[in-house]
Short mmCIF file of all heavy atoms in Angstrom, two decimals:
data_model
loop_
_atom_site.label_atom_id
_atom_site.label_comp_id
_atom_site.label_asym_id
_atom_site.label_seq_id
_atom_site.Cartn_x
_atom_site.Cartn_y
_atom_site.Cartn_z
N GLN A 118 -15.37 5.66 13.84
CA GLN A 118 -14.48 4.59 13.47
C GLN A 118 -14.49 4.38 11.89
O GLN A 118 -13.41 4.10 11.29
CB GLN A 118 -14.92 3.31 14.10
CG GLN A 118 -13.91 2.17 13.98
CD GLN A 118 -14.27 0.93 14.78
OE1 GLN A 118 -15.39 0.76 15.19
NE2 GLN A 118 -13.29 0.09 15.13
N GLU A 119 -15.57 4.56 11.34
CA GLU A 119 -15.74 4.45 9.80
C GLU A 119 -14.92 5.55 9.18
O GLU A 119 -14.22 5.29 8.18
CB GLU A 119 -17.22 4.51 9.38
CG GLU A 119 -17.98 3.35 9.76
CD GLU A 119 -18.43 3.34 11.23
OE1 GLU A 119 -18.53 4.46 11.86
OE2 GLU A 119 -18.68 2.28 11.80
N ASP A 120 -15.00 6.78 9.76
CA ASP A 120 -14.15 7.84 9.18
C ASP A 120 -12.67 7.52 9.28
O ASP A 120 -11.90 7.69 8.25
CB ASP A 120 -14.33 9.18 9.91
CG ASP A 120 -15.80 9.72 9.78
OD1 ASP A 120 -16.46 9.29 8.87
OD2 ASP A 120 -16.12 10.53 10.60
N ALA A 121 -12.23 6.92 10.35
CA ALA A 121 -10.86 6.63 10.54
C ALA A 121 -10.45 5.46 9.51
O ALA A 121 -9.33 5.50 8.99
CB ALA A 121 -10.60 6.09 11.98
N ARG A 122 -11.27 4.48 9.38
CA ARG A 122 -11.03 3.46 8.40
C ARG A 122 -10.92 3.95 6.94
O ARG A 122 -10.10 3.49 6.23
CB ARG A 122 -12.03 2.25 8.55
CG ARG A 122 -11.86 1.51 9.85
CD ARG A 122 -12.37 0.16 9.69
NE ARG A 122 -12.00 -0.63 10.88
CZ ARG A 122 -12.87 -1.23 11.74
NH1 ARG A 122 -14.16 -1.03 11.60
NH2 ARG A 122 -12.38 -1.74 12.89
N ALA A 123 -11.76 4.89 6.67
CA ALA A 123 -11.71 5.50 5.32
C ALA A 123 -10.44 6.21 5.12
O ALA A 123 -9.78 6.19 4.04
CB ALA A 123 -12.96 6.38 5.08
N TYR A 124 -10.02 6.92 6.14
CA TYR A 124 -8.73 7.71 6.10
C TYR A 124 -7.62 6.76 5.91
O TYR A 124 -6.74 6.97 5.16
CB TYR A 124 -8.58 8.58 7.38
CG TYR A 124 -7.34 9.38 7.38
CD1 TYR A 124 -7.09 10.45 6.47
CD2 TYR A 124 -6.33 9.12 8.26
CE1 TYR A 124 -6.01 11.10 6.46
CE2 TYR A 124 -5.10 9.79 8.29
CZ TYR A 124 -4.93 10.87 7.41
OH TYR A 124 -3.77 11.53 7.48
N GLN A 125 -7.59 5.61 6.68
CA GLN A 125 -6.52 4.59 6.58
C GLN A 125 -6.45 4.07 5.12
O GLN A 125 -5.36 3.89 4.63
CB GLN A 125 -6.75 3.47 7.57
CG GLN A 125 -6.43 3.74 8.92
CD GLN A 125 -6.81 2.61 9.89
OE1 GLN A 125 -7.78 1.84 9.66
NE2 GLN A 125 -6.07 2.45 10.96
N ALA A 126 -7.63 3.89 4.49
CA ALA A 126 -7.66 3.33 3.21
C ALA A 126 -7.09 4.37 2.17
O ALA A 126 -6.27 3.99 1.30
CB ALA A 126 -9.08 2.95 2.78
N GLU A 127 -7.38 5.67 2.35
CA GLU A 127 -6.76 6.71 1.63
C GLU A 127 -5.25 6.67 1.68
O GLU A 127 -4.55 6.79 0.63
CB GLU A 127 -7.34 8.06 2.02
CG GLU A 127 -8.78 8.32 1.61
CD GLU A 127 -9.18 9.67 2.28
OE1 GLU A 127 -8.43 10.54 2.48
OE2 GLU A 127 -10.41 9.75 2.52
N ILE A 128 -4.74 6.66 2.95
CA ILE A 128 -3.29 6.66 3.12
C ILE A 128 -2.64 5.47 2.52
O ILE A 128 -1.59 5.49 1.88
CB ILE A 128 -3.00 6.76 4.65
CG1 ILE A 128 -3.53 8.13 5.21
CG2 ILE A 128 -1.52 6.66 4.86
CD1 ILE A 128 -3.02 9.32 4.47
N GLN A 129 -3.29 4.28 2.73
CA GLN A 129 -2.75 3.06 2.06
C GLN A 129 -2.59 3.17 0.61
O GLN A 129 -1.70 2.71 -0.04
CB GLN A 129 -3.67 1.88 2.50
CG GLN A 129 -3.04 0.55 2.01
CD GLN A 129 -1.70 0.26 2.73
OE1 GLN A 129 -1.58 0.30 3.90
NE2 GLN A 129 -0.60 0.02 1.92
N GLN A 130 -3.63 3.78 -0.03
CA GLN A 130 -3.63 3.95 -1.47
C GLN A 130 -2.40 4.90 -1.89
O GLN A 130 -1.75 4.64 -2.94
CB GLN A 130 -4.83 4.58 -2.04
CG GLN A 130 -6.03 3.60 -2.04
CD GLN A 130 -7.34 4.29 -2.53
OE1 GLN A 130 -7.44 5.51 -2.68
NE2 GLN A 130 -8.33 3.42 -2.72
N VAL A 131 -2.16 5.94 -1.12
CA VAL A 131 -1.06 6.81 -1.38
C VAL A 131 0.31 5.99 -1.20
O VAL A 131 1.23 6.17 -2.08
CB VAL A 131 -1.07 8.05 -0.37
CG1 VAL A 131 0.23 8.81 -0.40
CG2 VAL A 131 -2.27 8.91 -0.66
N VAL A 132 0.42 5.30 -0.20
CA VAL A 132 1.59 4.42 0.05
C VAL A 132 1.76 3.51 -1.18
O VAL A 132 2.86 3.31 -1.70
CB VAL A 132 1.59 3.76 1.37
CG1 VAL A 132 2.73 2.76 1.47
CG2 VAL A 132 1.63 4.79 2.46
N ASP A 133 0.73 2.76 -1.52
CA ASP A 133 0.89 1.82 -2.60
C ASP A 133 1.23 2.50 -3.88
O ASP A 133 2.05 1.94 -4.64
CB ASP A 133 -0.57 1.17 -2.84
CG ASP A 133 -0.94 0.18 -1.76
OD1 ASP A 133 -0.06 -0.15 -0.92
OD2 ASP A 133 -2.10 -0.21 -1.63
N ARG A 134 0.66 3.73 -4.23
CA ARG A 134 1.11 4.43 -5.43
C ARG A 134 2.63 4.81 -5.27
O ARG A 134 3.35 4.81 -6.36
CB ARG A 134 0.22 5.64 -5.67
CG ARG A 134 -1.07 5.36 -6.28
CD ARG A 134 -1.76 6.61 -6.88
NE ARG A 134 -1.79 7.76 -5.91
CZ ARG A 134 -2.79 7.95 -5.03
NH1 ARG A 134 -3.85 7.15 -5.02
NH2 ARG A 134 -2.76 9.01 -4.26
N ALA A 135 3.04 5.15 -4.13
CA ALA A 135 4.44 5.59 -4.07
C ALA A 135 5.48 4.45 -4.20
O ALA A 135 6.53 4.69 -4.73
CB ALA A 135 4.65 6.28 -2.61
N PHE A 136 5.11 3.27 -3.76
CA PHE A 136 6.07 2.18 -3.71
C PHE A 136 5.72 1.02 -4.74
O PHE A 136 6.54 0.22 -4.88
CB PHE A 136 6.18 1.66 -2.31
CG PHE A 136 6.82 2.50 -1.44
CD1 PHE A 136 6.04 3.28 -0.47
CD2 PHE A 136 8.19 2.78 -1.36
CE1 PHE A 136 6.58 4.21 0.38
CE2 PHE A 136 8.70 3.65 -0.56
CZ PHE A 136 7.92 4.40 0.36
N ALA A 137 4.51 1.06 -5.28
CA ALA A 137 4.10 0.00 -6.26
C ALA A 137 4.76 0.22 -7.60
O ALA A 137 5.30 1.30 -7.85
CB ALA A 137 2.68 0.05 -6.32
N PRO A 138 4.81 -0.66 -8.47
CA PRO A 138 4.12 -2.02 -8.27
C PRO A 138 5.09 -2.93 -7.45
O PRO A 138 6.21 -2.95 -7.65
CB PRO A 138 3.93 -2.51 -9.75
CG PRO A 138 5.03 -1.87 -10.45
CD PRO A 138 5.28 -0.53 -9.81
N PHE A 139 4.43 -3.66 -6.58
CA PHE A 139 5.20 -4.65 -5.80
C PHE A 139 5.46 -5.88 -6.71
O PHE A 139 4.48 -6.25 -7.44
CB PHE A 139 4.47 -5.02 -4.53
CG PHE A 139 4.45 -3.96 -3.50
CD1 PHE A 139 3.27 -3.20 -3.26
CD2 PHE A 139 5.53 -3.70 -2.78
CE1 PHE A 139 3.25 -2.24 -2.34
CE2 PHE A 139 5.62 -2.71 -1.81
CZ PHE A 139 4.38 -1.94 -1.68
N PRO A 140 6.56 -6.39 -6.67
CA PRO A 140 6.85 -7.59 -7.52
C PRO A 140 5.96 -8.78 -7.03
O PRO A 140 5.77 -8.95 -5.86
CB PRO A 140 8.32 -7.87 -7.29
CG PRO A 140 8.75 -7.17 -6.09
CD PRO A 140 7.78 -6.03 -5.91
N ARG A 141 5.53 -9.59 -7.99
CA ARG A 141 4.73 -10.79 -7.65
C ARG A 141 5.51 -11.81 -6.99
O ARG A 141 5.08 -12.61 -6.23
CB ARG A 141 4.03 -11.28 -8.83
CG ARG A 141 3.08 -10.28 -9.51
CD ARG A 141 2.16 -10.97 -10.49
NE ARG A 141 1.30 -10.04 -11.15
CZ ARG A 141 0.21 -9.59 -10.65
NH1 ARG A 141 -0.23 -10.03 -9.50
NH2 ARG A 141 -0.61 -8.74 -11.39
N GLU A 142 6.84 -11.94 -7.42
CA GLU A 142 7.66 -12.96 -6.86
C GLU A 142 8.97 -12.29 -6.39
O GLU A 142 9.43 -11.30 -6.91
CB GLU A 142 8.03 -13.95 -7.98
CG GLU A 142 6.87 -14.81 -8.45
CD GLU A 142 7.26 -15.75 -9.59
OE1 GLU A 142 8.47 -15.91 -9.72
OE2 GLU A 142 6.39 -16.26 -10.22
N ALA A 143 9.56 -12.88 -5.38
CA ALA A 143 10.85 -12.39 -4.81
C ALA A 143 11.93 -12.57 -5.89
O ALA A 143 12.03 -13.62 -6.57
CB ALA A 143 11.23 -13.20 -3.59
N CYS A 144 12.82 -11.59 -6.00
CA CYS A 144 13.92 -11.76 -6.89
C CYS A 144 15.15 -12.28 -6.14
O CYS A 144 15.18 -12.19 -4.97
CB CYS A 144 14.24 -10.41 -7.54
SG CYS A 144 14.87 -9.16 -6.38
N PRO A 145 16.13 -12.91 -6.87
CA PRO A 145 17.28 -13.31 -6.18
C PRO A 145 18.07 -12.19 -5.51
O PRO A 145 18.11 -11.10 -6.24
CB PRO A 145 18.10 -14.05 -7.25
CG PRO A 145 17.55 -13.51 -8.54
CD PRO A 145 16.10 -13.08 -8.25
N LEU A 146 18.62 -12.33 -4.42
CA LEU A 146 19.29 -11.18 -3.76
C LEU A 146 20.58 -10.86 -4.40
O LEU A 146 20.95 -9.74 -4.48
CB LEU A 146 19.65 -11.66 -2.29
CG LEU A 146 18.43 -11.56 -1.29
CD1 LEU A 146 18.94 -12.06 0.09
CD2 LEU A 146 17.87 -10.22 -1.16
N GLU A 147 21.29 -11.78 -4.93
CA GLU A 147 22.56 -11.58 -5.72
C GLU A 147 23.45 -10.76 -4.79
O GLU A 147 24.10 -9.75 -5.22
CB GLU A 147 22.33 -10.92 -6.98
CG GLU A 147 21.58 -11.85 -7.96
CD GLU A 147 21.56 -11.31 -9.38
OE1 GLU A 147 22.48 -10.56 -9.78
OE2 GLU A 147 20.52 -11.59 -10.05
#
């Protein structure tokens, strides 16, 4: 289970790098 959690953390970092930086506040939809 620890191996699986470590793998999940690795994948989450990849996703974060691909889509970040996330805005701190929502922008107006306009």
